[in-house]
Amino acid sequence: MASSSGNDDDLTIPRAAINKMIKETLPNVRVANDARELVVNCCTEFIHLISSEANDICNKSDKKTISPEHVINALESLGFASYITEVKDVLQECKTVALKRRKASSRLENLGIPEEELLRQQQELFAKAEMLGPPNRGLVEARSDQGTRFHFGNHVDLAKTGW
């Protein structure tokens, strides 16, 4: 496959990825190196073909970004309609994984505590910190039936702090 830059290596799938797919798909079959190279070239050409057709479909619909629907329509127009069901399944799986990742990255949602409750707790902690006075007064241990707590300064009335 010729590329516009003249460097074919820029437009190929990593061989390690292809080798892994071949090994997973055909675990008990030996595949010659030239056959592996042919698979890499075929995959690259297939991706180029589909993406070019999807780009044409995208341009005809006056869009600037190729969407999954453009790719699906490209598969259909190029005679690969038998792949569409599986492509849609994979697309849905990708969307599900992406949604789970977004939810997992939200630390507030991971806590399982409503935002209002977190805000209330934060305000309570700020109020206790104000009663303790400025920092750098030395760490003092306070014991209660709730456990051992530490605070700064030895002049604080623990009853006022909720202890």
Side-chain angles (χ1 to χ4, degrees), residues 1 10 16 20 23-24 56-57 66 69 79 89 93 96 102 114 117 120 124 127 138 141 144-145 150 154 159 163:
M1 178 180 141
D10 292 345
K20 183 178 178 187
K23 191 173 187 174
E24 288 175 359
D56 291 345
I57 292 169
I66 297 173
E69 282 305 312
D89 291 344
E93 185 179 321
T96 302
R102 271 185 255 133
E117 174 62 16
R120 187 196 63 74
E124 184 179 306
E141 181 178 339
S144 73
D145 39 329
F150 294 90
N154 57 5
W163 280 81

Side-chain angles (χ1 to χ4, degrees), residues 97-111:
V97 168
L99 182 63
K100 285 180 182 177
R101 274 196 194 132
R102 271 185 255 133
K103 284 185 177 180
S105 68
S106 172
R107 297 180 83 189
L108 289 178
E109 289 179 15
N110 286 342
L111 292 175

Side-chain angles (χ1 to χ4, degrees), residues 51-63:
S51 59
S52 294
E53 183 68 17
N55 187 50
D56 291 345
I57 292 169
C58 177
N59 288 335
K60 287 177 187 172
S61 60
D62 293 326
K63 302 289 183 183

Side-chain angles (χ1 to χ4, degrees), residues 76-151:
E76 174 107 33
S77 71
L78 292 169
F80 296 106
S82 61
Y83 293 159
I84 292 175
T85 301
E86 189 171 350
V87 166
K88 286 181 178 180
D89 291 344
V90 170
L91 176 62
Q92 187 57 47
E93 185 179 321
C94 288
K95 286 180 178 181
T96 302
V97 168
L99 182 63
K100 285 180 182 177
R101 274 196 194 132
R102 271 185 255 133
K103 284 185 177 180
S105 68
S106 172
R107 297 180 83 189
L108 289 178
E109 289 179 15
N110 286 342
L111 292 175
I113 301 172
E115 192 172 348
E116 297 81 22
E117 174 62 16
L118 290 171
L119 184 60
R120 187 196 63 74
Q121 289 177 8
Q122 181 184 38
Q123 295 300 326
E124 184 179 306
L125 288 170
F126 285 154
K128 284 183 180 180
E130 285 178 10
M131 287 196 289
L132 293 174
N136 301 328
R137 294 193 180 248
L139 194 60
V140 176
E141 181 178 339
R143 294 178 187 262
S144 73
D145 39 329
Q146 296 176 357
T148 302
R149 300 277 172 109
F150 294 90
H151 65 91

Side-chain angles (χ1 to χ4, degrees), residues 25-42:
T25 306
L26 307 167
N28 300 319
V29 176
R30 292 188 65 195
V31 180
N33 285 337
D34 56 343
R36 290 176 189 269
E37 187 67 28
L38 181 60
V39 171
V40 168
N41 290 334
C42 289

